[in-house]
Amino acid sequence: MLETRLRPAVEFAPAITAAGSAIAVAWKPALFLLPEQIAWSAAGALGLFAGFRALQGMRVLRYRRMLTHLPHYALRSDEIPFSTTELFLGRGFEWTQQHAQRLFNTTQPERARYLPKRPASEGAGGNPAIHGVGMEEEDEVWIPLGDRVGHTLVLGTTRVGKTRLLEILVTQDIRRGDVVIVFDPKGDDALLARMWAEARRAGREDRFYVFHLGRPEISARYNAVANFSRITEVASRVAGQLSAEGDSAAFREFAWRFTNIIAQALLRLGQKPNFQLIARYVRDIEPLLIKYCTWWLTRHGPANWREEVQKLEKHLTEAKPSQQGYQRDPRALALVRYMRRENLYDPVADGLRSAFEYDKTYFDKIVASLLPLLEKLSTGKVAELLSPDYEDWNDPRPVLDWMQVIRQRAVVYVGLDALSDQEVASAVGNSMFADLTSVAGQIYKFGRFHGLPEIGAPEPEPPISIHADEFNELIGDEFIPMVNKAGGAKFQVTAYTQTWSDVEARIGNRAKAEQIGGNFNTLIMLRVKNEATARLLTDQLPKVRLVSKVLVSGVTDSTDAESDTEFVSRNEDRITEVEAPLVSPSDVVQLPKGQAFALLSGGRIFKLRFPLPSAENDPMMPEDLNEIARALYGDPDAR
């Protein structure tokens, strides 16, 4: 069907004529030779016809205006709707062939004169006709909460509304009672304040945590390598931050092995690994070797081991420096030689011994990439956050533990301050994702309250809603199992990024990037600048047939000399069809701010726009971040 809404409002001509006729008939029925009763009936019929045609004309004018002037749409935070069964996204409509046809019509030159000019004051940019073609936009768009376990990917260039959408979704998750974890690489104070306001509104401020690398004074503490289901996870979280390209792969493998040896030794000694301890023993393995071997020999060695080691130590102390092994600690050398002489074996001690016996110059080369990373993670105030002192009872800041966060149904804001130090932000973010993946595995196998006594009837377990803004700065290999397998533990990830190329560049492997992308069942795409990114959406949509009207005129000369007809002319409107995508990449590139296409519910495409924040002041919003700190830990200036 060829729709003709983008045209002159010709309905007003018959409407005015009918309205004038109705007035004339009702006022002077005698002029029309009508009895008064019939005249009033005729006037009423003409009036109804005039009203009907006027409404049709108004509909045409309204449609033309909506192509450039959408109604204002703003909501206060407390007005954002939420449901226990669905997730609110905004206003919009399901995009069909009819909308593609209408948008196609706006691009035809002969119809451009019917589009009113947009005022220069409008700041949304883009092409408002993309949303204006849906006159039935009054509908709110919701998706079932069950779809979120399939994870959601939000793509959009900078300053087009990703953070506003994040606020809308997080607001609903907090009110619904989900476990909410938001990763914000930039460390946006406004987002933190909004989350605090929503936690207060929902009565959850007592279970609100802040981890902020850029503001250590108000941040909780977090040991990224303290919790694991297998000890090898510690080495993976540390060495996973190093490059695995080319020749660097061998150094990364050595860093993994060396870190794994240190972590195993610390665990055996009853110490929780942290970045400071790992950095300390990477620089100097001897103290750890002495401590571990002493601990092991005390439990498993011969009764006279101390006397024998002391004899060896005395001998080594009196020896010449060249015989001491490059001025190494005689105690460490004595322990190593004693265990070898007595044929005593322990895998951890043997690993420490092999690292201890490396040539110093060679050892420095193979840990050259590991030490700078560890120093960044264990220096200054950041070290207090990432290597917390569990025995410091004067520090009111809690130590984050993801399992406890989940059990408490807490709300967590993670600010990584990536603008100041991208490498540290990435390392901490990766470690947190790896930690959460490990927790997901434990929940999947044993449940959230494994090992705790059952008290009363079990309560329903809420989902764990993870929002990762600029997630391309955070992801690594650790992210793949989270989106691939963590759904069974009720993890639901919403990831936000600018282009898919950023993800590929970060992962360094296109196949792995596609593996990640294939695990996002819901796709929301705001304006993007990269056509390849836009095709992530448009290539999943069907083709449709669009029609256009072509005016054809022609003249044919008569060949019959005896005929009075010298020529025959014809004028016709010809309808042609072309195959086109339901949504083209250029449509995505031209989206105004705060608008998006969304692929929902098994392949249905919706056109959305998000509500703007209301200008009214929110009484729940804090005056500044110090107000949040005082509420969480007391006065930070007093510490």
Side-chain angles (χ1 to χ4, degrees), residues 484-511:
N484 194 17
K485 301 180 178 66
K490 289 193 173 181
F491 276 59
Q492 51 192 34
V493 178
T494 305
Y496 308 75
T497 190
Q498 294 190 25
T499 71
W500 195 247
S501 301
D502 294 336
V503 178
E504 292 185 8
R506 174 66 183 175
I507 292 293
N509 185 305
R510 185 170 186 177

CSV table of all heavy atoms in Angstrom, one decimal, residues 484-511:
chain,number,residue,atom,x,y,z
A,484,ASN,N,29.2,-16.1,28.9
A,484,ASN,CA,28.9,-17.4,28.2
A,484,ASN,C,28.2,-18.4,29.1
A,484,ASN,O,27.3,-19.1,28.7
A,484,ASN,CB,30.2,-18.0,27.7
A,484,ASN,CG,30.0,-19.1,26.7
A,484,ASN,OD1,28.9,-19.3,26.2
A,484,ASN,ND2,31.0,-19.9,26.5
A,485,LYS,N,28.6,-18.4,30.4
A,485,LYS,CA,28.1,-19.5,31.3
A,485,LYS,C,27.5,-19.0,32.6
A,485,LYS,O,26.9,-19.8,33.4
A,485,LYS,CB,29.2,-20.4,31.6
A,485,LYS,CG,29.9,-21.1,30.4
A,485,LYS,CD,31.0,-22.0,30.8
A,485,LYS,CE,31.6,-22.7,29.6
A,485,LYS,NZ,32.3,-21.8,28.7
A,486,ALA,N,27.6,-17.7,32.9
A,486,ALA,CA,27.2,-17.2,34.3
A,486,ALA,C,25.7,-17.0,34.4
A,486,ALA,O,25.2,-16.7,35.4
A,486,ALA,CB,27.9,-15.9,34.6
A,487,GLY,N,24.9,-17.2,33.3
A,487,GLY,CA,23.5,-17.0,33.3
A,487,GLY,C,22.8,-18.0,34.3
A,487,GLY,O,21.8,-17.7,34.9
A,488,GLY,N,23.4,-19.2,34.4
A,488,GLY,CA,22.8,-20.2,35.3
A,488,GLY,C,22.9,-19.8,36.8
A,488,GLY,O,22.2,-20.3,37.6
A,489,ALA,N,23.8,-18.8,37.1
A,489,ALA,CA,23.9,-18.3,38.4
A,489,ALA,C,23.1,-17.0,38.6
A,489,ALA,O,23.4,-16.3,39.6
A,489,ALA,CB,25.4,-18.1,38.8
A,490,LYS,N,22.3,-16.7,37.7
A,490,LYS,CA,21.4,-15.5,37.7
A,490,LYS,C,22.2,-14.2,37.5
A,490,LYS,O,21.9,-13.2,37.9
A,490,LYS,CB,20.6,-15.4,38.9
A,490,LYS,CG,19.5,-16.4,39.0
A,490,LYS,CD,18.5,-16.1,40.1
A,490,LYS,CE,17.3,-17.0,40.1
A,490,LYS,NZ,16.3,-16.7,41.1
A,491,PHE,N,23.4,-14.3,36.8
A,491,PHE,CA,24.1,-13.1,36.4
A,491,PHE,C,23.5,-12.6,35.1
A,491,PHE,O,23.3,-13.3,34.2
A,491,PHE,CB,25.6,-13.5,36.2
A,491,PHE,CG,26.4,-13.5,37.4
A,491,PHE,CD1,26.1,-14.4,38.5
A,491,PHE,CD2,27.5,-12.7,37.6
A,491,PHE,CE1,26.9,-14.4,39.6
A,491,PHE,CE2,28.3,-12.7,38.7
A,491,PHE,CZ,28.0,-13.6,39.7
A,492,GLN,N,23.2,-11.3,35.1
A,492,GLN,CA,22.8,-10.7,33.9
A,492,GLN,C,23.6,-9.4,33.6
A,492,GLN,O,23.6,-8.5,34.4
A,492,GLN,CB,21.3,-10.4,34.0
A,492,GLN,CG,20.8,-9.6,35.2
A,492,GLN,CD,19.3,-9.6,35.4
A,492,GLN,OE1,18.6,-10.6,35.0
A,492,GLN,NE2,18.8,-8.5,35.9
A,493,VAL,N,24.3,-9.4,32.5
A,493,VAL,CA,25.3,-8.4,32.2
A,493,VAL,C,24.7,-7.4,31.2
A,493,VAL,O,24.1,-7.8,30.2
A,493,VAL,CB,26.6,-9.0,31.6
A,493,VAL,CG1,27.6,-7.9,31.3
A,493,VAL,CG2,27.2,-9.9,32.7
A,494,THR,N,24.8,-6.1,31.5
A,494,THR,CA,24.5,-5.1,30.5
A,494,THR,C,25.8,-4.3,30.2
A,494,THR,O,26.3,-3.7,31.1
A,494,THR,CB,23.4,-4.1,31.0
A,494,THR,OG1,22.2,-4.9,31.4
A,494,THR,CG2,23.0,-3.1,29.9
A,495,ALA,N,26.3,-4.4,29.0
A,495,ALA,CA,27.6,-3.8,28.6
A,495,ALA,C,27.4,-2.7,27.7
A,495,ALA,O,26.5,-2.7,26.8
A,495,ALA,CB,28.5,-4.9,28.0
A,496,TYR,N,28.1,-1.6,27.9
A,496,TYR,CA,28.0,-0.3,27.2
A,496,TYR,C,29.3,0.0,26.6
A,496,TYR,O,30.4,0.0,27.3
A,496,TYR,CB,27.6,0.8,28.1
A,496,TYR,CG,26.4,0.6,29.0
A,496,TYR,CD1,26.4,-0.2,30.1
A,496,TYR,CD2,25.1,1.2,28.6
A,496,TYR,CE1,25.3,-0.5,30.9
A,496,TYR,CE2,24.0,0.9,29.4
A,496,TYR,CZ,24.1,0.1,30.5
A,496,TYR,OH,23.0,-0.1,31.3
A,497,THR,N,29.4,0.3,25.3
A,497,THR,CA,30.6,0.7,24.6
A,497,THR,C,30.3,1.5,23.4
A,497,THR,O,29.1,1.6,23.0
A,497,THR,CB,31.5,-0.5,24.2
A,497,THR,OG1,32.7,-0.1,23.8
A,497,THR,CG2,30.8,-1.4,23.1
A,498,GLN,N,31.3,2.1,22.8
A,498,GLN,CA,31.1,3.0,21.7
A,498,GLN,C,31.0,2.3,20.3
A,498,GLN,O,30.1,2.5,19.5
A,498,GLN,CB,32.2,4.1,21.6
A,498,GLN,CG,32.1,5.0,22.8
A,498,GLN,CD,33.0,6.2,22.7
A,498,GLN,OE1,33.4,6.6,21.6
A,498,GLN,NE2,33.5,6.8,23.8
A,499,THR,N,32.0,1.5,20.0
A,499,THR,CA,32.0,0.7,18.8
A,499,THR,C,32.5,-0.7,19.0
A,499,THR,O,33.2,-1.0,20.0
A,499,THR,CB,33.0,1.4,17.7
A,499,THR,OG1,34.3,1.1,18.2
A,499,THR,CG2,32.7,2.9,17.6
A,500,TRP,N,32.1,-1.6,18.2
A,500,TRP,CA,32.5,-3.0,18.3
A,500,TRP,C,34.0,-3.1,18.0
A,500,TRP,O,34.7,-4.0,18.4
A,500,TRP,CB,31.7,-3.9,17.5
A,500,TRP,CG,31.8,-5.3,17.9
A,500,TRP,CD1,32.4,-6.3,17.1
A,500,TRP,CD2,31.5,-5.9,19.1
A,500,TRP,NE1,32.4,-7.5,17.9
A,500,TRP,CE2,31.8,-7.3,19.1
A,500,TRP,CE3,30.9,-5.4,20.3
A,500,TRP,CZ2,31.6,-8.1,20.1
A,500,TRP,CZ3,30.6,-6.3,21.3
A,500,TRP,CH2,31.0,-7.6,21.3
A,501,SER,N,34.5,-2.2,17.2
A,501,SER,CA,36.0,-2.2,16.9
A,501,SER,C,36.8,-2.1,18.1
A,501,SER,O,37.9,-2.6,18.3
A,501,SER,CB,36.3,-1.1,15.9
A,501,SER,OG,35.6,-1.3,14.7
A,502,ASP,N,36.3,-1.3,19.1
A,502,ASP,CA,37.0,-1.1,20.4
A,502,ASP,C,37.1,-2.5,21.1
A,502,ASP,O,38.2,-2.7,21.7
A,502,ASP,CB,36.2,-0.1,21.3
A,502,ASP,CG,36.2,1.3,20.7
A,502,ASP,OD1,37.1,1.6,19.9
A,502,ASP,OD2,35.3,2.1,21.1
A,503,VAL,N,36.1,-3.3,21.0
A,503,VAL,CA,36.1,-4.6,21.7
A,503,VAL,C,37.2,-5.5,21.0
A,503,VAL,O,38.0,-6.1,21.6
A,503,VAL,CB,34.7,-5.2,21.6
A,503,VAL,CG1,34.8,-6.6,22.3
A,503,VAL,CG2,33.7,-4.3,22.4
A,504,GLU,N,37.1,-5.5,19.7
A,504,GLU,CA,38.1,-6.3,18.9
A,504,GLU,C,39.5,-5.9,19.2
A,504,GLU,O,40.4,-6.7,19.4
A,504,GLU,CB,37.8,-6.2,17.4
A,504,GLU,CG,36.5,-6.9,17.0
A,504,GLU,CD,36.3,-6.9,15.5
A,504,GLU,OE1,37.3,-6.5,14.8
A,504,GLU,OE2,35.2,-7.2,15.0
A,505,ALA,N,39.7,-4.5,19.3
A,505,ALA,CA,41.1,-4.0,19.5
A,505,ALA,C,41.6,-4.4,20.9
A,505,ALA,O,42.7,-4.8,21.1
A,505,ALA,CB,41.1,-2.5,19.4
A,506,ARG,N,40.6,-4.4,21.9
A,506,ARG,CA,41.0,-4.7,23.2
A,506,ARG,C,41.3,-6.2,23.4
A,506,ARG,O,42.3,-6.6,24.0
A,506,ARG,CB,39.8,-4.4,24.2
A,506,ARG,CG,40.0,-4.8,25.6
A,506,ARG,CD,41.2,-4.1,26.3
A,506,ARG,NE,41.4,-4.6,27.6
A,506,ARG,CZ,42.4,-4.2,28.4
A,506,ARG,NH1,43.2,-3.3,28.0
A,506,ARG,NH2,42.5,-4.6,29.6
A,507,ILE,N,40.5,-7.1,22.8
A,507,ILE,CA,40.7,-8.5,22.9
A,507,ILE,C,41.9,-9.0,22.1
A,507,ILE,O,42.6,-9.9,22.4
A,507,ILE,CB,39.4,-9.3,22.4
A,507,ILE,CG1,38.2,-9.0,23.4
A,507,ILE,CG2,39.6,-10.8,22.3
A,507,ILE,CD1,38.5,-9.6,24.8
A,508,GLY,N,42.1,-8.3,20.9
A,508,GLY,CA,43.2,-8.6,20.0
A,508,GLY,C,42.9,-9.9,19.2
A,508,GLY,O,43.8,-10.4,18.6
A,509,ASN,N,41.7,-10.3,19.2
A,509,ASN,CA,41.3,-11.5,18.5
A,509,ASN,C,39.9,-11.4,18.0
A,509,ASN,O,39.0,-11.3,18.8
A,509,ASN,CB,41.5,-12.7,19.4
A,509,ASN,CG,41.3,-14.0,18.6
A,509,ASN,OD1,40.3,-14.3,18.0
A,509,ASN,ND2,42.3,-14.9,18.7
A,510,ARG,N,39.7,-11.3,16.7
A,510,ARG,CA,38.4,-11.1,16.2
A,510,ARG,C,37.4,-12.3,16.5
A,510,ARG,O,36.2,-12.1,16.8
A,510,ARG,CB,38.4,-11.0,14.6
A,510,ARG,CG,37.1,-10.6,14.0
A,510,ARG,CD,37.2,-10.2,12.6
A,510,ARG,NE,35.9,-9.8,12.0
A,510,ARG,CZ,35.8,-9.3,10.8
A,510,ARG,NH1,36.8,-9.2,10.0
A,510,ARG,NH2,34.6,-8.9,10.4
A,511,ALA,N,37.9,-13.5,16.5
A,511,ALA,CA,37.1,-14.7,16.8
A,511,ALA,C,36.6,-14.6,18.2
A,511,ALA,O,35.4,-14.9,18.5
A,511,ALA,CB,37.9,-15.9,16.6
